Amino acid sequence: MRGRAFIANLDMYRKVPIDLLEGTRRGSILSTIAVITMATLFFLETKAFFSKSLSTSLALDSNEDSNIRVNFNITMMDLKCEFATIDVVSVLGTQQNVTQHVQKYPIDASGVKQRFQHRNLKQHDVELFDSTIEETIEELHADGEDAVSLDENTLNIALERNKFVFVDFYANWCSHCRDLAPTWETLAEIMYEAAEYRADNHFESKGLSEHDYTAEEYAEAVKVELPVFIGKIDCVDHHDLCIRKNIRAYPTLKFFVDGEEKGDYRGHRTVMEFSHFLAEMEDKFRGEDEAKKTEEVKEVATDRTIRNESHEEYARALSATRHKIQHTWVDEDHPGCQLSGFLLVDRAPGNFHIQAQSKTTELAAHLTNVSHIIN
């Protein structure tokens, strides 16, 4: 019985008594105000959603430090460390090169970071030409060019016929190349003078005078006694050849032994330093039972370039830094560079740039690859 009573009383749709549905004046006023308020809010919110406004705020930095630290770690995939520089540019347009707190590590062909650090060569680190040579390139060419201009065919012939070949890859628009030209031509003349000196000694040891051999025989003897073949290649005229030789900056001085490239020369660009370098290469690559041909080169170079005490002091100062400079560079071992460290920059709008540039060579822009990875 109780269950039936409970079900009979369960009615979710009961009617509200009519007396409770009677409207009042106060309720009508409140309802009207509510409708107007909701309509107004809906309109204002919709308008604010679709409208745009620009607002600015100015806040003072409470930090008392005048500088802010910027950490970075970037790997250049195909740019040597000596060509990678870091510059900070401010909002005012001022540019400043940064070397402090910056570490550079060469990356080998397998992408492995090398142990030793690298730094960019500064302007005073390397003598770009021999200041003791007073003759101009025109005066040196008056009796012919001793530094042989090569193309692809003549380069191959020179590599086949000579054990040691030293080649200057240059561009005729490059200022560093023009400055080096008299020094390079003088070096070539010294090689032929040393060869002539050895040829004369050879004929004298056999008891022959200059009347016992022809000019052709003497010229052939000079070629045989030539310590190092000195050549030059204009990369403007022989663009494809320079690309195959991986020339990316001018001048690039490459040394070849038995037709194989042994690296780039990175030392002082003076006649005496060239002579010392060639003597080192001959000691390294010429057999013990073979006669050394660069011994006379140093003597002839001394006679040509050291004329007074100031020249002697100049050569002595360069010799003191000779072993601090890495003469050769093998591109396969150092294709990239990892740059890491931090910068202390002013608390002002600005940025920092990693640029490919050098103070000792002119970079070829179309051969410079600045692809990089931000670690």
Side-chain angles (χ1 to χ4, degrees), residues 344-357:
L344 295 176
V345 297
D346 296 333
R347 290 181 174 273
N351 51 67
F352 76 93
H353 299 163
I354 297 178
Q355 300 188 25
Q357 57 184 356

Side-chain angles (χ1 to χ4, degrees), residues 1 28 101 108 124-125 144 173 186 200 204 221 231 298 302 353:
M1 296 297 292
S28 299
H101 308 306
D108 65 13
H124 61 271
D125 286 344
W173 49 261
T186 301
D200 292 340
E204 290 178 2
K298 294 181 181 179
T302 301
H353 299 163

Side-chain angles (χ1 to χ4, degrees), residues 294-313:
T294 57
E295 296 177 354
E296 293 80 4
V297 172
K298 294 181 181 179
E299 299 179 5
V300 178
T302 301
D303 295 338
R304 286 288 300 268
T305 61
I306 299 179
R307 303 184 182 90
N308 50 49
E309 294 182 0
S310 62
H311 292 170
E312 186 175 356
E313 293 177 359

Side-chain angles (χ1 to χ4, degrees), residues 130-154:
D130 198 331
S131 60
T132 63
I133 298 176
E134 300 176 353
E135 297 89 346
T136 64
I137 189 63
E138 290 78 12
E139 294 173 346
L140 293 171
H141 285 170
D143 58 348
E145 295 186 23
D146 293 296
V148 182
S149 297
L150 302 173
D151 55 23
E152 185 169 5
N153 293 330
T154 54

Side-chain angles (χ1 to χ4, degrees), residues 1-38:
M1 296 297 292
R2 291 182 179 180
R4 292 180 178 179
F6 174 75
I7 295 175
N9 293 327
L10 181 60
D11 187 0
M12 299 178 63
Y13 300 97
R14 295 182 180 183
K15 296 182 179 180
V16 180
I18 192 63
D19 55 346
L20 296 178
L21 298 177
E22 184 179 355
T24 61
R25 184 183 296 274
R26 182 181 297 177
S28 299
I29 295 174
L30 292 176
S31 298
T32 302
I33 293 175
V35 171
I36 295 174
T37 302
M38 288 188 291

Side-chain angles (χ1 to χ4, degrees), residues 49-88:
F49 179 77
F50 288 104
S51 63
K52 298 179 181 179
S53 63
L54 178 63
S55 61
T56 59
S57 62
L58 178 63
L60 297 179
D61 189 358
S62 61
N63 197 317
E64 297 180 356
D65 295 335
S66 59
N67 296 328
I68 186 173
R69 175 167 172 161
V70 178
N71 299 318
F72 63 91
N73 188 347
I74 300 175
T75 300
M76 307 302 296
M77 302 303 295
D78 194 20
L79 185 66
K80 298 178 183 178
C81 286
E82 65 173 301
F83 296 152
T85 63
I86 297 178
D87 299 327
V88 176

Side-chain angles (χ1 to χ4, degrees), residues 38-319:
M38 288 188 291
T40 303
L41 291 175
F42 178 80
F43 173 76
L44 294 177
E45 289 296 328
T46 304
K47 180 181 179 182
F49 179 77
F50 288 104
S51 63
K52 298 179 181 179
S53 63
L54 178 63
S55 61
T56 59
S57 62
L58 178 63
L60 297 179
D61 189 358
S62 61
N63 197 317
E64 297 180 356
D65 295 335
S66 59
N67 296 328
I68 186 173
R69 175 167 172 161
V70 178
N71 299 318
F72 63 91
N73 188 347
I74 300 175
T75 300
M76 307 302 296
M77 302 303 295
D78 194 20
L79 185 66
K80 298 178 183 178
C81 286
E82 65 173 301
F83 296 152
T85 63
I86 297 178
D87 299 327
V88 176
V89 182
S90 69
V91 68
L92 301 178
T94 58
Q95 182 171 337
Q96 181 181 7
N97 180 254
V98 178
T99 57
Q100 188 178 14
H101 308 306
V102 177
Q103 295 178 339
K104 298 180 180 181
Y105 292 93
I107 306 297
D108 65 13
S110 301
V112 179
K113 183 174 71 173
Q114 303 298 290
R115 292 184 178 182
F116 64 91
Q117 295 188 28
H118 190 94
R119 70 175 180 86
N120 290 69
L121 294 176
K122 299 179 180 179
Q123 190 73 39
H124 61 271
D125 286 344
V126 176
E127 288 294 324
L128 303 181
F129 60 93
D130 198 331
S131 60
T132 63
I133 298 176
E134 300 176 353
E135 297 89 346
T136 64
I137 189 63
E138 290 78 12
E139 294 173 346
L140 293 171
H141 285 170
D143 58 348
E145 295 186 23
D146 293 296
V148 182
S149 297
L150 302 173
D151 55 23
E152 185 169 5
N153 293 330
T154 54
L155 174 62
N156 293 331
I157 294 174
L159 295 177
E160 291 176 1
R161 296 182 178 180
N162 298 274
K163 183 177 183 62
F164 300 119
V165 177
F166 204 12
V167 181
D168 173 19
F169 292 85
Y170 71 98
N172 50 34
W173 49 261
C174 169
S175 59
H176 295 308
C177 302
R178 292 194 294 267
D179 293 337
L180 179 63
T183 303
W184 197 251
E185 180 66 21
T186 301
L187 177 64
E189 291 184 358
I190 290 174
M191 292 299 152
Y192 279 101
E193 290 180 15
E196 291 174 358
Y197 179 80
R198 291 182 59 85
D200 292 340
N201 290 339
H202 174 72
F203 286 123
E204 290 178 2
S205 65
K206 293 186 175 182
L208 301 176
S209 64
E210 60 181 4
H211 302 290
D212 297 327
Y213 50 84
T214 63
E216 291 77 11
E217 292 175 339
Y218 183 78
E220 189 64 27
V222 171
K223 291 181 180 180
V224 172
E225 297 295 341
L226 188 67
V228 180
F229 181 90
I230 305 298
K232 57 185 179 180
I233 296 177
D234 189 346
C235 290
V236 176
D237 297 333
H238 307 286
H239 178 263
D240 295 338
L241 173 60
C242 293
I243 290 180
R244 287 193 293 272
K245 293 298 181 181
N246 198 25
I247 305 300
R248 303 189 181 187
Y250 310 116
T252 296
L253 310 178
K254 286 188 176 294
F255 188 72
F256 299 86
V257 178
D258 294 327
E260 296 182 3
E261 181 181 335
K262 296 300 180 181
D264 300 349
Y265 177 82
R266 298 289 175 181
H268 295 297
R269 301 171 188 169
T270 64
V271 171
M272 288 304 301
E273 292 303 304
F274 283 143
S275 301
H276 286 294
F277 166 74
L278 297 176
E280 293 176 5
M281 294 297 101
E282 186 179 42
D283 292 338
K284 183 177 180 180
F285 294 105
R286 194 180 288 278
E288 296 181 357
D289 55 340
E290 297 182 79
K292 300 295 189 294
K293 297 183 179 181
T294 57
E295 296 177 354
E296 293 80 4
V297 172
K298 294 181 181 179
E299 299 179 5
V300 178
T302 301
D303 295 338
R304 286 288 300 268
T305 61
I306 299 179
R307 303 184 182 90
N308 50 49
E309 294 182 0
S310 62
H311 292 170
E312 186 175 356
E313 293 177 359
Y314 174 73
R316 190 182 302 112
L318 295 182
S319 299

